[in-house]
C-alpha cells in the first residue's frame, strides 16, 4: 500500500474560521480580542493587503504593559505596532512541502499559512498535524 503524504490544504483552518488582529488595531482592541477568545497567541495581518505580519503572544502584551505602566484607557491610544513580538512565528507557504510544516510544529503551536503573494489564508494547528500523523488506530504506547 502506498503511503500518501497529505497536502497542507488538508490540514488548513481557513481564515474565515480563525481569529486574528489587524496591524492597525490599538493595543486595547488587541487585548480585548485576545481576552474574549482566550487565546495565548494570535496572528497579526495587514488590513489592506491581507498579508501576514507576525504573531503576538500573551507574554508580549504582558511585557509591554509592565514596561510602559499604562492604564487600560491609555491603551486606546497605543498602536498595536508598538508591541514587538518576542518570538518569530514563521508562516508557511501553501505550496511548501508538508515536511516543512512538520518541522515548524515542533516549535510553534500553529503555523500561519500564506499564499504565493504572502496573503494570510488560515492556520494549521499542532493538533491537526498530530491527528494526521498519529491516527488513533495506529497509536500505541
Amino acid at each position: 500500500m502506498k503511503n500518501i503524504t497529505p497536502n497542507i490544504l488538508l490540514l488548513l483552518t481557513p481564515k474565515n474560521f480563525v481569529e486574528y488582529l489587524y496591524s492597525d488595531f490599538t493595543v486595547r482592541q488587541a487585548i480585548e480580542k485576545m481576552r474574549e477568545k482566550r487565546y495565548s497567541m494570535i496572528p497579526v495581518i495587514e488590513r489592506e493587503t491581507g498579508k501576514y505580519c507576525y504573531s503576538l503572544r500573551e507574554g508580549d502584551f504582558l511585557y509591554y504593559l509592565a514596561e510602559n505602566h499604562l492604564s487600560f484607557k491609555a491603551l486606546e491610544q497605543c498602536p498595536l505596532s508598538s508591541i514587538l513580538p518576542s518570538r518569530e512565528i514563521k508562516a508557511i507557504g501553501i505550496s511548501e512541502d508538508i515536511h516543512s510544516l512538520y518541522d515548524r510544529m515542533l516549535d510553534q503551536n500553529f503555523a500561519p499559512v500564506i499564499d504565493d503573494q504572502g496573503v494570510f489564508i488560515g492556520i494549521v494547528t499542532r493538533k491537526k498535524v498530530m491527528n494526521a500523523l498519529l491516527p488513533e488506530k495506529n497509536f500505541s504506547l
Side-chain angles (χ1 to χ4, degrees):
M1 188 165 140
K2 187 177 177 183
N3 188 5
I4 298 172
T5 304
N7 183 296
I8 290 174
L9 279 176
L10 295 173
L11 303 174
L12 183 75
T13 301
K15 178 181 176 180
N16 56 330
F17 294 105
V18 174
E19 295 295 330
Y20 49 87
L21 304 173
Y22 284 117
S23 59
D24 63 358
F25 272 14
T26 65
V27 172
R28 182 171 176 167
Q29 287 173 306
I31 288 173
E32 287 176 347
K33 189 163 200 175
M34 285 193 70
R35 182 178 62 184
E36 173 190 336
K37 299 300 178 183
R38 300 283 221 212
Y39 286 169
S40 60
M41 188 181 339
I42 193 165
V44 179
I45 66 170
E46 182 66 39
R47 186 184 300 269
E48 293 169 12
T49 63
K51 292 189 177 193
Y52 172 73
C53 301
Y54 50 86
S55 292
L56 291 173
R57 301 182 313 161
E58 283 176 315
D60 299 329
F61 288 93
L62 292 172
Y63 294 132
Y64 179 80
L65 294 171
E67 291 168 2
N68 293 288
H69 308 287
L70 299 169
S71 69
F72 200 60
K73 179 77 174 153
L75 296 176
E76 293 173 0
Q77 306 305 314
C78 300
L80 184 59
S81 60
S82 61
I83 298 180
L84 300 175
S86 59
R87 190 169 156 223
E88 183 181 11
I89 303 300
K90 296 178 185 175
I92 189 157
I94 194 66
S95 56
E96 286 188 54
D97 181 78
I98 194 80
H99 294 93
S100 300
L101 175 65
Y102 297 158
D103 291 340
R104 196 133 327 141
M105 289 292 96
L106 294 173
D107 297 320
Q108 299 177 189
N109 293 332
F110 69 87
V113 181
I114 56 174
D115 68 11
D116 294 335
Q117 284 75 46
V119 175
F120 178 74
I121 61 170
I123 65 169
V124 174
T125 63
R126 184 181 288 161
K127 181 177 180 177
K128 279 197 175 179
V129 170
M130 290 179 68
N131 284 335
L133 291 174
L134 302 170
E136 286 182 12
K137 62 184 173 197
N138 294 328
F139 184 73
S140 62
L141 292 175

